[in-house]
Amino acid sequence: MNNEQLLEKSKEHLWLPFTQMTDYERDPLIIESGNGIRVKDIYGKEYLDGYSSLWLNIHGHQKKEINDAIKGQLDSIAHSTLLGAANVPAIELADKLIQLAPNNLKRVFYSDSGATSVEIAIKMAFQYWQNKGVSKKKKFVTLTNGYHGDTVGAISVGAVELFHRVYGELMFETIKAPFPLVYRSPYENEDEICNHALDELKTIFEENHEEIAGITVESMVQGAGGMHIMPKGYLKGVEQLCHEFDILLIVDEVATGFGRTGKMFAVEHENVQPDIMTMAKGITGGYLPIAATLTTEKIFHAFYGEYHELKTFFHGHSYTGNQLGCAAALANLKIYEEENIIKQVQQKSDFVSQQLKEVAKLDHVGDVRQLGLMCGIELVHNKETKEPFPWELRVAYETTLDMRERGMLTRPLGDIIVFMPPLASSESELQEMIQIMKKSIETTTTKLALSISN
Ligand SMILES: *Cc1c(COP(=O)(O)O)cnc(C)c1O
């Protein structure tokens, strides 16, 4: 198809995720290629990939080692089922993941997206108690403002009002515990915020623990809920309460895993050992849909026995453990060692936090939140009162359109600009992106603030 046909057919036949299609029709974008941390549209315009193609990409596009690994795997086999049969790269990848993950995790259950890895975690935790004969433990505790993907199970343990409101009657009920939000908190300091949230969680556990199967939490940072970082000690406190009340800790590392926050997994910031841990996004370097749910031998054992005992975990997907994806993931993880990626992220995140100080000074920047290379910049109308812009103005969305004009891509979350560059971004590329963000925030917020006062 030529460019004109591509554009026309995209408007005629595509329905894009998380997208109001009138927005797409007004400002369409069709990507044709990518190289390093840049992608190119069909007209040849280049963009810095400021959101890692939605939080996935690690080493840039067209990374030779990953390309070669996929091509090499293609000469053996593209896919065979994991139902009742193993395959070579799935075994090798499982071994690798177990080496990298917290010590207590010993089993890998594959799927193909973050949401499915969470569905699996929920069903696994639920059936664990059933198989053990503790039939009352059926409920889940979730954190306010959490996000775990978009399937019905995953939205049930999620709590982003805007995304989930309409599906209320479709979702199973959960018990909501407050996330320790720092920005706009009524409490004095992070310790107080942390302790209050843990106290409330403790009360919930005390009153309901006999019925609670598990709690789901994003690891250290609530991503889609607005890039909110947990105060020090919170995740550790959750782990301790889980032990005290015999509740399974399900930690979602889909966004934070694979070095994004400066550790291979964000649980390492608090030395936490979850009972179940989910991972996806960065696992293949942003190449192919692979996800994994890791768990302990203790949980695995509750499913282990002869067939007639009916303890089997009856769950699977057609493409579970896909060979091409596992080969890509293995090549991806090898680069972490060869290029010392985790150390690099730590250095680059120091650089970014220096650079973001300039952004924080802007008139309409209320808060800058960062852990590793996971950053959110919250735009407000009034910096002192933290009063937001009227939501219909879509200040962050408008800002990202301006950034696109200037050659950088990202997607906002409400009034928050997301900055999640590929881990491979160089300091000069990081600087270039931050300069574009700064310029666009300045221009757009000034314009919109003026439109309000007029
Ligand atoms: C993106 C995300 C998911 C969902 O992953 P998909 O691959 O989009 O299904 C789940 N949990 C967290 C924390 C995420 O950021």
Side-chain angles (χ1 to χ4, degrees), residues 55 113-115 147-149 218 252 254-255 281:
W55 317 3
S113 71
Y147 176 81
H148 299 283
E218 285 163 84
D252 183 346
V254 170
K281 291 195 169 106

Side-chain angles (χ1 to χ4, degrees), residues 129-349:
W129 294 114
Q130 300 305 307
N131 282 4
K132 297 242 306 173
V134 188
S135 55
K136 273 170 74 184
K137 275 183 170 294
K138 288 179 177 168
K139 289 188 180 159
F140 287 88
V141 176
T142 62
L143 298 187
T144 51
N145 205 39
Y147 176 81
H148 299 283
D150 297 317
T151 54
V152 174
I155 61 173
S156 297
V157 293
V160 180
E161 176 65 12
L162 178 68
F163 306 160
H164 299 157
R165 183 176 33 201
V166 67
Y167 306 110
E169 288 176 53
L170 192 58
M171 289 150 50
F172 64 78
E173 258 181 64
T174 60
I175 305 171
K176 303 263 180 306
F179 178 87
L181 267 185
V182 177
Y183 190 56
R184 298 199 172 86
S185 166
Y187 301 115
E188 283 287 305
N189 58 50
E190 296 208 1
D191 280 349
E192 251 182 81
I193 297 168
C194 176
N195 292 336
H196 276 277
L198 286 172
D199 284 348
E200 291 202 44
L201 184 63
K202 185 167 185 181
T203 307
I204 290 171
F205 280 7
E206 273 168 352
E207 287 169 2
N208 305 281
H209 66 96
E210 284 178 355
E211 298 183 340
I212 298 174
I215 176 170
T216 53
V217 297
E218 285 163 84
S219 194
M220 292 306 293
V221 186
Q222 280 196 328
M227 296 293 163
H228 292 285
I229 299 162
M230 291 174 175
K232 226 187 177 86
Y234 178 75
L235 194 58
K236 194 71 193 170
V238 174
E239 181 191 46
Q240 281 159 356
L241 289 173
C242 283
H243 287 170
E244 193 179 333
F245 292 96
D246 209 9
I247 286 165
L248 298 178
L249 175 59
I250 302 169
V251 172
D252 183 346
E253 288 265 1
V254 170
T256 50
F258 303 101
R260 176 54 64 184
T261 69
K263 304 275 186 193
M264 184 52 87
F265 294 103
V267 284
E268 294 168 31
H269 288 285
E270 298 256 302
N271 197 16
V272 160
Q273 301 209 326
D275 297 293
I276 302 178
M277 191 163 103
T278 63
M279 51 185 75
K281 291 195 169 106
I283 192 169
T284 62
Y287 266 64
L288 286 163
I290 289 283
T293 307
L294 271 58
T295 193
T296 60
E297 210 55 16
K298 184 178 110 182
I299 291 186
F300 171 77
H301 209 78
F303 293 78
Y304 188 77
E306 291 304 326
Y307 185 79
H308 64 80
E309 296 174 62
L310 294 179
K311 292 174 172 176
T312 309
F313 190 36
F314 290 110
H315 187 106
H317 302 277
S318 308
Y319 285 98
T320 292
N322 171 263
Q323 278 100 322
L324 290 179
C326 289
L330 280 164
N332 170 45
L333 294 175
K334 197 157 165 240
I335 302 167
Y336 279 76
E337 287 160 34
E338 288 167 357
E339 300 187 10
N340 212 345
I341 297 293
I342 302 300
K343 181 134 180 272
Q344 281 202 47
V345 174
Q346 289 163 358
Q347 286 162 354
K348 287 169 186 176
S349 60

